[in-house]
Amino acid sequence: MDLFMEQFKGFKILTMGLVFLVWIFYLKMFWPDSITYRLPGPHPASKFASNFVESPSLLDSLPQTLTNLTCLLYWPPAPGDGGNLLASTSPQTSTYHLRGPAQASYTLGDYLEAVLVARDHWGKPKTHGGDLFRAQLLGSELKAGVPGDIHDLENGTYLLSFPLLWAGRAQVQVRLIHSSEAVGVLRRIWTEKRATVDFRGYFRGIQGPEEIAICNVDPQATGAKRATCQYRDAVSGELWFCAQPPTLPCNSLVGHSSGSYLKVTTQHDEHLLAWNVTDKVLSQGISPILVRPAATGNTTLALSPQLPCHPGLLFPKPSGFYHGNVWHSLACSSRSFPTADSILGCLAGRIVHMMGDSTLRQWWEYLHNTVPSLKSVDLHAVYQVGPLMAVDTTRGIVLHWRAHGWPLRSLRTPVASLHSVVRELAGLAGGPHTVVVLGLGAHFTTFPPSIFVRRLAGIRAAVMALLAREPSTLVVIKLANTGYKSVYGSDWFTLQVNRLLRAAFSGLRVAFVDAWEMTSSLALPDNIHPQQLIVRNEVDLLLSFICPT
């Protein structure tokens, strides 16, 4: 009897164990998926990387100027036009003139000053500021140019100042990029809309058709009518959201691409941003001037002795000027690298990591196309996203470029190819032969500034960590350049983005390439992808930091 009871007890335990296993199997197969996933990546997140980027005090480590967006992004307020387009600032009626009496000639190294009066379409002077003007002093015969400084008095009047940096003829040119009323539209959309574009996520299961969903930086910008999928980068902690696909689980996301430009403007907004009142040259208000050489030395350029280029420099305003189609930095002794051999001599033994948008990819393309011995390696990647790689094995040169990850307007690309900048920086050992170039901005103008600030917080921390473990690493920040003139990407947005970039990396031993001034100093049409003349000078300044002497 005892034996029978023991066998019965054992059978009962076995039966209960089997029931328990079946229950676990059922939960595994049919329990709804969690909505939060860590995207797969080629490198698992280290404990250190995860802790340092996800620390609650990350934003607290930012410079105080960056956290105070109201102060940093201040722009003079404008009351608007009351719905009447004719009350907005007009490029046809706005005028400018010399601040003082005209002179027969001007002295090299002095300043030329002017007064600009903004007027509406009736010719009536404006009583408030906030217009986005661009002023230049151009020397067409000498292929010279320098950006002018514009001081908004916030009463409809603007003071213009131009340094006289070359001897010869020069001409003032002023453009109205956006009226204050158009800027008001841009500012309202930038701060109030969660996004002005969306993206597509491609989901694939083991079998069955592929499914597509809307994705974005904000869950409420995905248009989801039910649950959203949240993705957190394992290293940077950056978040991405997709509307949950109809049948597939969140972790079946395999592809990414651009989506749609969202309708965010009224008809009146569009009139204020129309081509006929945007980026227009004002009627010439100042006759061409003649700048004479300095009395001593007979020099033709106002270039004082400067130190070699090195990270940590404070840049003056303007940061440089063109003469003979060559950019001359006013912060350091910039150099030219006119031949393939001069570029090779500078890059020999160096690994260059470029991370950013397509304007930074232009640097990679310029070097690859200019130096025949730099051979590209086919990594079978989507060209728009990368990674791209070129090498010169004889001289030990490796040149990398890859896109900065979400948010990224691109052709369809594998999700696994989208690496955050923080993830890439965390994987670098650094050292005297390592050069890091970061170029972000153009893909962030379609979101509120807080999105870019959070991204910059993580990148700043990663740069600080890289420089702490290997201080000899050179880190270069490319500022965003001029180009777009729409509600999705405007020069006004770019100005704000550059303020954020400068504030984010202030106090760090990094170098800056001011692409904004380098693309707004010559009489060339604006293009988000600048002409090779501009790219060449940008790369020469980069090389001047790599090889200062």
Side-chain angles (χ1 to χ4, degrees):
M1 186 67 178
D2 290 340
L3 180 60
F4 174 79
M5 291 301 294
E6 288 293 326
Q7 289 177 338
F8 179 79
K9 185 184 296 185
F11 178 79
K12 186 177 180 181
I13 293 172
L14 178 61
T15 302
M16 291 177 64
L18 288 173
V19 169
F20 179 78
L21 288 174
V22 170
W23 180 66
I24 292 296
F25 180 77
Y26 175 86
L27 290 178
K28 182 71 175 176
M29 292 299 292
F30 300 106
W31 192 261
D33 289 316
S34 167
I35 65 169
T36 302
Y37 293 92
R38 290 184 181 272
L39 291 181
H43 307 291
S46 67
K47 182 178 180 181
F48 166 77
S50 294
N51 285 345
F52 104 83
V53 297
E54 296 181 356
S55 167
S57 62
L58 184 60
L59 289 175
D60 295 338
S61 68
L62 287 171
Q64 186 175 359
T65 53
L66 186 59
T67 57
N68 187 354
L69 292 183
T70 301
C71 179
L72 179 62
L73 301 181
Y74 173 77
W75 193 264
D81 59 8
N84 190 341
L85 181 64
L86 297 179
S88 64
T89 306
S90 167
Q92 284 77 36
T93 61
S94 296
T95 59
Y96 62 94
H97 57 269
L98 285 174
R99 191 176 185 183
Q103 302 178 25
S105 63
Y106 295 80
T107 303
L108 183 70
D110 283 352
Y111 282 82
L112 182 73
E113 295 184 329
V115 177
L116 189 160
V117 178
R119 304 175 188 271
D120 62 22
H121 289 260
W122 294 301
K124 180 181 177 182
K126 302 292 285 290
T127 57
H128 59 80
D131 301 292
L132 177 57
F133 288 101
R134 184 190 303 169
Q136 300 166 296
L137 186 66
L138 303 171
S140 301
E141 299 169 359
L142 301 170
K143 299 176 182 177
V146 65
D149 181 64
I150 301 177
H151 178 50
D152 187 347
L153 299 182
E154 301 191 26
N155 61 3
T157 302
Y158 301 78
L159 299 182
L160 313 181
S161 178
F162 305 89
L164 304 178
L165 299 171
W166 64 85
R169 290 173 61 84
Q171 172 70 61
V172 172
Q173 184 180 90
V174 180
R175 308 176 77 91
L176 175 65
I177 306 299
H178 291 301
S179 67
S180 59
E181 293 77 14
V183 169
V185 172
L186 299 175
R187 178 163 49 185
R188 184 191 78 234
I189 290 172
W190 199 36
T191 55
E192 294 180 3
K193 299 294 182 181
R194 297 180 183 275
T196 58
V197 298
D198 63 22
F199 304 85
R200 298 293 179 267
Y202 301 86
F203 296 78
R204 186 189 304 142
I206 297 175
Q207 58 184 7
E210 188 174 76
E211 295 178 359
I212 303 175
I214 296 177
C215 303
N216 224 316
V217 297
D218 187 295
Q220 296 187 45
T222 63
K225 294 181 173 58
R226 56 194 191 108
T228 55
C229 301
Q230 174 181 290
Y231 304 92
R232 181 185 296 273
D233 187 280
V235 178
S236 70
E238 296 162 9
L239 295 175
W240 187 249
F241 302 90
C242 293
Q244 192 162 18
T247 64
L248 293 173
C250 290
N251 60 1
S252 61
L253 177 65
V254 295
H256 165 85
S257 76
S258 299
S260 305
Y261 287 87
L262 307 179
K263 173 69 172 175
V264 293
T265 53
T266 66
Q267 187 175 29
H268 186 65
D269 293 340
E270 291 165 6
H271 287 156
L272 290 171
L273 294 164
W275 66 269
N276 60 314
V277 290
T278 299
D279 193 21
K280 296 300 178 183
V281 179
L282 273 59
S283 297
Q284 198 169 104
I286 300 175
S287 300
I289 66 169
L290 179 65
V291 181
R292 62 179 181 272
T296 58
N298 199 32
T299 58
T300 58
L301 296 180
L303 285 172
S304 57
Q306 297 164 329
L307 296 173
C309 297
H310 62 84
L313 282 173
L314 295 176
F315 274 74
K317 189 174 179 60
S319 62
F321 67 99
Y322 285 99
H323 186 269
N325 281 341
V326 174
W327 180 259
H328 298 271
S329 172
L330 294 174
C332 61
S333 182
S334 54
R335 303 175 58 198
S336 293
F337 296 81
T339 66
D341 285 342
S342 62
I343 295 173
L344 286 170
C346 178
L347 292 179
R350 287 182 168 85
I351 303 175
V352 182
H353 300 270
M354 299 182 184
M355 309 168 206
D357 56 33
S358 55
T359 65
L360 185 57
R361 188 180 69 223
Q362 287 185 276
W363 292 15
W364 185 94
E365 292 167 339
Y366 170 79
L367 290 168
H368 174 249
N369 295 334
T370 303
V371 182
S373 63
L374 272 173
K375 304 299 183 183
S376 61
V377 178
D378 187 0
L379 300 178
H380 305 286
V382 176
Y383 187 82
Q384 269 192 318
V385 178
L388 305 181
M389 181 177 179
V391 299
D392 182 328
T393 55
T394 302
R395 295 171 178 83
I397 302 171
V398 182
L399 195 63
H400 292 280
W401 173 86
R402 78 178 310 138
H404 54 59
W406 287 322
L408 185 72
R409 299 188 295 276
S410 70
L411 299 174
R412 177 168 172 170
T413 191
V415 166
S417 296
L418 298 174
H419 292 192
S420 69
V421 172
V422 172
R423 178 192 293 188
E424 290 296 299
L425 293 175
L428 297 180
H433 301 293
T434 301
V435 179
V436 173
V437 189
L438 305 179
L440 299 88
H443 291 260
F444 289 86
T445 60
T446 51
F447 308 99
S450 58
I451 298 293
F452 195 39
V453 168
R454 287 201 295 269
R455 180 64 56 88
L456 290 175
I459 295 174
R460 176 185 168 90
V463 168
M464 291 176 65
L466 173 61
L467 294 177
R469 63 179 175 265
E470 190 48 79
S472 59
T473 307
L474 175 61
V475 178
V476 180
I477 310 298
K478 174 192 174 294
L479 298 182
N481 54 258
T482 60
Y484 291 132
K485 303 291 187 293
S486 79
V487 72
Y488 305 104
S490 158
D491 284 349
W492 185 81
F493 291 140
T494 304
L495 275 174
Q496 313 313 310
V497 162
N498 282 340
R499 288 180 177 182
L500 296 175
L501 280 166
R502 286 190 182 278
F505 296 101
S506 65
L508 301 186
R509 198 173 181 275
V510 301
F512 287 94
V513 172
D514 194 340
W516 171 268
E517 289 197 348
M518 297 180 79
T519 53
S520 60
S521 296
L522 290 176
L524 296 174
D526 284 345
N527 192 322
I528 192 61
H529 296 116
Q531 297 182 18
Q532 181 164 312
L533 164 65
I534 304 293
V535 176
R536 171 175 58 80
N537 280 283
E538 291 174 343
V539 172
D540 278 355
L541 188 52
L542 165 68
L543 296 174
S544 296
F545 284 105
I546 298 174
C547 304
T549 58

